[in-house]
Amino acid sequence: MSDHYVKVKVQFEQMKSFGEDAEQEGVDAEVQGTDSVSPVTSSITTLGTDSPKTPISCKQRSKSRSKPSKEEKNKHISDLSLFGSVAASHVGKNLNRLHHERMLHVKGTGRILQGRSESNGNFMLNNPPKHMQETRRGDGAKLAKKKRPVTVDTSKAKTSLEALKISIKQLKWKEFPLGRRAACDIYWHGVSFHDNENINSGQVNKFPGMIEMLRKINLSRAVRTTQELFPEEYDFYPRSWILPEEYQLFSTQMRMVKENDSTVNPTFIVKPDGGSQGDGIYLIRDPSDLKLMAGSQARQAVVQEYIQRPLLIDKLKFDIRLYVLIKSLEPLEIYIAKEGLTRFCTEPYQEPCQKNLSHVFMHLTNYSLNVHSGKFVHSDSQSTGSKRTLSSVLYRLAAKGVDIKKVWSDIISLVIKTVIAVVPELKVYYQADIPPGKPGPTCFQILGFDILLMKNLKPVLLEVNSNPSMRIEHEQEVTPGVFEFVPSPVDEEVKVAVIRDTLRLMDPGHKKFSFSQPKAAFEQGAEIPIEAESQERSPDEGGALPSLCLKQVYPKYTKQFNHLRLVERIATLFIRFLGVKGNMRLGPTAFRTFIRTCKLSNSNFTMASVDIVYIDITRRWSGSTPESREAGMGLHAFVEAFFSLAARRFKSLVLKEQIVSLLDLCEAQLDSPIGEDRRSLSCSRAMPRASKTQAHPQLSSPAPARRAASQDQRLNQRLRSITLRSSVEN
Ligand code: ADP
């Protein structure tokens, strides 16, 4: 008891400084994830025994190279048009290139945008697209339209430049390779949202926070949190542990598995947190083989169940690179490219054993590794070689009798569910970088999903790349040891189409799709208008370009997936109470305000208990990652607090129902004019009432923010004098 007292006192001191620093000035901190391990028994589990010793590390490589019914939920997304298009893309494989030099005659949409609020993909934008000027007759009919080409700043495009240039040329748009003094319509960044800091309008092809969000640890946390709520729906992600914090848990669980059944023989893959292209990855069969330290520092990594039985083609392991466009976060719009790439290993696959654990070319499908194997096959054909189109692989499977419609349907589900898992934190990053009301660009982003097919054809998520390579050349060994970049027809075929069609969808003159989404479409289980096939080809394009290679999957399939967006509703509450612009963490006053506004305290759960919940949870989270040492409560800590509040309030329900009930309760309080505690406004950014999955916080004025900060100071002073009589009641 006295120990606890001392600890809490220390925490009060920390809160004091947080109150002064964070709430007053805004903490520009990173958010961490939950540390709870999903108790999910993954359907992918292949645990076993054996404890070999030599984990292998692959070569370090330079990065410079650069509520629905059960039936509905279980229904396959049988999207014949998507499947059909894959077929077309394979049969007419050079279709896109045939169109390269054909003219796009942009006639305009005929849509009157002026004076209308336009969903820009993220938050509402009131300005009509600048590049379209309309004059109208007195009777309202359009007299004439003048259009100038869409302008694209390509000065920061880096390795995607080649493919981008071809795309812009095909669209007859205007490229600004050195940037432009006046604003451009679209800014294409090679790495991150922050590649160019001085953008106040237009659209940028990166979201703030996406890189951080998709690092291996953060992605694992996000998927695991959702997995906790929906274990059956999120069984596509291999069981994972976060190092170093879950080392003990990992070791204990492995020991128990082996004790229970000595015939099981598990293999694990260890991936450094910030790694890419296979850097630093190694396989192990025993926790003692983990490389826990890098110098004096603990290595941040994810250790993951290794999928021992992947689907093989020509005896080789391969994975799928699928391109996914997040066209908009609010409302959520997801597109999937009908064509993708498959990357093949260069050494015939054998199930892992102690002897072959170090065979990188057998176990890792990374192009950047296999290209150096000596057995890498460069091919101009899309259906042979070490890099092939996805459609060619699917057709090969179809020829063997595989139900590729089902495989596609499962892949689409995996993509939508993964995006749903990362969106909550992404929204926190977004509002911190582009607070509502601040002039700023809107964002979209192409992501690279790496997916493995298991022998039983079940797709497994390996990782999501925030910055997938858009290079259309590949490295080739021209003479022994000398590598050069040479054009790669397969890369060009796939990547130019993805970039060009992303641009077509982001054309500021064609925002029609966002207009048509009624709010109700984002309510759980609500009907949404499925976009007509005309969406596939802009009417302006008059058939000059091939139909879009990007297919909308969300909100198209809202009905099947909207019930999964629970953590996003928790994030919406979190954002509402954040207060200061740019902040990503809740201070103790804001947390109290949340409790009070949502009427969650009572005689059994006093405000003193609330403070203790805050302290306990933030303290637990404060050491999980170096970034999380910032004061305050990040989103994942808030989610944990929310789970614990829900469990305490709705004891008799199962976890998911507890969360839904508490969310409904909180949202009802926030929607109710009576429940709208005036004090809450001092910490909140108002949120539209009807929206449960949308966070449209409006601008908070500096005065309420200052009030919240001074409240925090007062609270901190009071907290210091609280005795621990109340201890933790939760
Ligand atoms: P990187 O970002 O370094 O490429 P990945 O997570 O994509 O890291 O892993 C690299 C490669 O390792 C993948 O392309 C795949 O071939 C293999 N791999 C990764 N995770 C697993 C897994 N859980 N089971 C089997 N193979 C895996």
Side-chain angles (χ1 to χ4, degrees), residues 530-687:
I530 297 196
E531 291 176 53
E533 279 305 302
S534 62
Q535 175 211 341
E536 300 246 326
R537 190 194 297 277
S538 161
D540 294 349
E541 290 163 358
L545 289 165
S547 57
L548 287 173
C549 75
L550 292 161
K551 177 84 186 167
Q552 194 202 64
V553 294
Y554 201 91
K556 186 169 183 179
Y557 300 118
T558 295
K559 241 179 157 177
Q560 288 100 312
F561 298 100
N562 218 32
H563 65 287
L564 302 174
R565 299 176 70 180
L566 286 187
V567 180
E568 195 178 338
R569 286 169 66 188
I570 302 177
T572 300
L573 289 175
F574 177 78
I575 291 169
R576 177 172 177 142
F577 289 93
L578 273 179
V580 182
K581 264 198 214 175
N583 203 356
M584 291 179 64
R585 284 166 184 275
L586 280 190
T589 301
F591 188 69
R592 277 181 147 230
T593 307
F594 152 67
I595 298 285
R596 200 184 290 119
T597 309
C598 295
K599 303 206 182 316
L600 300 181
S601 62
N602 52 38
S603 54
N604 289 327
F605 186 50
T606 62
M607 288 313 276
S609 321
V610 169
D611 293 334
I612 290 166
V613 169
Y614 178 89
I615 289 164
D616 277 357
I617 292 180
T618 47
R619 186 176 50 200
R620 211 168 28 254
W621 277 93
S622 69
S624 59
T625 62
E627 310 93 63
S628 66
R629 298 211 178 95
E630 309 279 348
M633 179 181 259
L635 176 65
H636 285 279
F638 183 76
V639 170
E640 186 185 328
F642 198 87
F643 276 35
S644 110
L645 294 172
R648 136 194 286 279
R649 184 135 191 155
F650 302 101
K651 288 191 179 79
S652 60
L653 302 179
V654 297
L655 175 68
K656 189 173 68 189
E657 286 164 12
Q658 288 173 342
I659 300 299
V660 171
S661 304
L662 190 63
L663 276 167
D664 288 347
L665 195 148
C666 292
E667 286 163 355
Q669 289 300 338
L670 293 170
D671 282 353
S672 139
I674 303 156
E676 192 96 51
D677 186 332
R678 266 197 62 77
R679 278 168 298 184
S680 74
L681 297 175
S682 67
C683 279
S684 77
R685 301 167 191 213
M687 182 175 62

Side-chain angles (χ1 to χ4, degrees), residues 44 58 216 237-240 267-281 283 303-310 317-321 343 345 349 360 362-370 450-452 460-465:
I44 306 162
C58 59
K216 293 178 170 55
Y237 190 65
R239 209 171 344 169
S240 305
T267 302
F268 301 94
I269 183 163
V270 189
K271 312 181 192 183
D273 185 35
S276 64
Q277 302 187 333
D279 274 3
I281 291 188
L283 304 186
V303 55
Q304 194 171 73
E305 179 186 351
Y306 185 73
I307 306 301
Q308 312 217 33
R309 293 191 182 158
K317 176 175 173 179
F318 68 96
D319 77 347
I320 297 169
R321 162 57 58 86
R343 289 94 45 106
C345 279
Y349 186 78
V360 174
M362 175 188 288
H363 292 295
L364 307 187
T365 50
N366 299 79
Y367 158 79
S368 51
L369 298 171
N370 283 282
D450 290 350
I451 296 167
L452 191 71
V460 172
L461 176 69
L462 299 179
E463 72 156 348
V464 188
N465 289 275

